[in-house]
């Protein structure tokens, strides 16, 4: 049996909030940035955000990957036009914890299906799960009528950028986000293309 045969992807359920929170924490980055955005109890905050029905990090916006019923990774993605609405609920929950995040600019916009966060747990890397998650997000985007899919990648994360460019993403512009300069990468989508090479 190939490794890829053991990987199961599905739309997230509310019970997947812990793995979604882990992946969002990985995507946000270092401890300082996590605390700036979510406070000292950031994992509890992220889990609440993932459990909500209408935040950026909601389980409703996630696709999860499992291997033998063990969570392995997730992708959080949504219509860029809904950013303002999703962020409003996100900030309401953060406000409850007296958290006022700084350095947050608009990371997406209408006309783009946006990959907010993606990650694979360390023990499951190099299995091709990341590419499968991006493929699943691309298919979801196509089903919703989108023609572009985008994401941000840190200037310093050249390995991630190489992965994304190898599957068709290209630099569009530079965005300041969480105090870092990020590449905004984007890829055109075609209804005829059912898989990512």
């Amino acid at each position: 049996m190939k490794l890829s045969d053991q990987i199961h992807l599905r739309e997230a359920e509310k019970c997947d909030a812990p793995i979604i929170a882990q992946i969002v924490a990985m995507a946000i980055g270092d401890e300082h940035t996590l605390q700036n955005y979510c406070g000292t109890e950031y994992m509890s905050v992220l889990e609440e955000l993932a459990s909500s029905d209408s935040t950026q990090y909601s389980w409703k916006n996630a696709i999860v990957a499992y291997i033998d019923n063990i969570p392995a990774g997730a992708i959080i993605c949504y219509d860029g036009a809904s950013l303002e609405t999703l962020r409003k609920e996100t900030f309401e929950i953060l406000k409850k914890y007296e958290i006022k995040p700084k350095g947050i600019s608009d990371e997406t916009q209408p006309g783009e299906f946006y990959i907010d966060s993606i990650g694979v747990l360390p023990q499951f890397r190099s299995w091709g799960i990341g590419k499968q998650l991006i493929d699943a997000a691309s298919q979801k985007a196509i089903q919703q009528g989108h023609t572009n899919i985008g994401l941000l990648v840190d200037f310093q994360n050249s390995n991630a950028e190489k992965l994304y460019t190898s599957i068709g993403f290209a630099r569009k512009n530079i965005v300041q986000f969480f105090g870092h300069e990020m590449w905004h990468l984007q890829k055109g989508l075609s209804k005829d293309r059912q898989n990512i090479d």
Side-chain angles (χ1 to χ4, degrees):
M1 180 184 291
K2 295 185 298 184
L3 289 177
S4 59
D5 293 337
Q6 301 173 46
I7 302 165
H8 175 66
L9 269 60
R10 62 168 171 76
E11 294 284 339
E13 299 171 1
K14 198 166 188 173
C15 62
D16 295 307
I19 182 64
I20 296 167
Q22 277 185 276
I23 296 313
V24 172
M26 288 167 48
I28 290 174
D30 61 60
E31 191 87 8
H32 175 74
T33 307
L34 278 162
Q35 290 191 18
N36 178 53
Y37 186 57
C38 299
T40 54
E41 301 297 318
Y42 54 82
M43 285 310 299
S44 296
V45 174
L46 288 173
E47 230 175 283
E48 182 170 345
L49 291 169
S51 296
S52 167
D53 289 350
S54 53
T55 66
Q56 284 172 267
Y57 311 118
S58 170
W59 61 274
K60 288 191 170 184
N61 298 325
I63 299 166
V64 291
Y66 276 77
I67 297 173
D68 294 331
N69 295 317
I70 300 168
I75 190 166
I76 297 90
C77 48
Y78 47 81
D79 183 346
S82 66
L83 176 65
E84 187 176 340
T85 302
L86 294 171
R87 190 175 273 173
K88 182 179 179 185
E89 182 64 25
T90 302
F91 285 178
E92 282 300 314
I93 290 175
L94 293 175
K95 187 177 176 183
K96 187 173 78 174
Y97 290 92
E98 300 182 356
I99 299 164
K100 296 177 182 175
K102 301 178 185 84
I104 309 295
S105 56
D106 286 350
E107 60 218 87
T108 185
Q109 65 279 317
E112 174 181 80
F113 193 75
Y114 181 61
I115 296 174
D116 186 296
S117 305
I118 180 174
V120 177
L121 297 182
Q123 64 269 37
F124 298 114
R125 289 177 187 159
S126 302
W127 286 34
I129 297 171
K131 286 185 179 182
Q132 288 192 36
L133 286 166
I134 292 171
D135 188 33
S138 298
Q139 293 308 311
K140 185 174 182 178
I142 290 168
Q143 288 164 10
Q144 292 183 18
H146 292 276
T147 56
N148 292 299
I149 189 166
L151 51 80
L152 299 185
V153 63
D154 196 297
F155 272 21
Q156 309 304 316
N157 197 345
S158 58
N159 287 337
E161 187 181 1
K162 282 178 190 172
L163 167 66
Y164 300 136
T165 56
S166 76
I167 55 176
F169 285 86
R171 292 176 179 176
K172 186 177 179 194
N173 59 296
I174 296 170
V175 176
Q176 287 280 344
F177 194 67
F178 284 138
H180 298 282
E181 286 193 322
M182 308 274 238
W183 288 114
H184 175 204
L185 306 182
Q186 198 174 74
K187 174 184 172 179
L189 297 169
S190 166
K191 289 182 182 178
D192 298 330
R193 188 168 185 201
Q194 295 302 308
N195 295 299
I196 290 177
D197 301 325

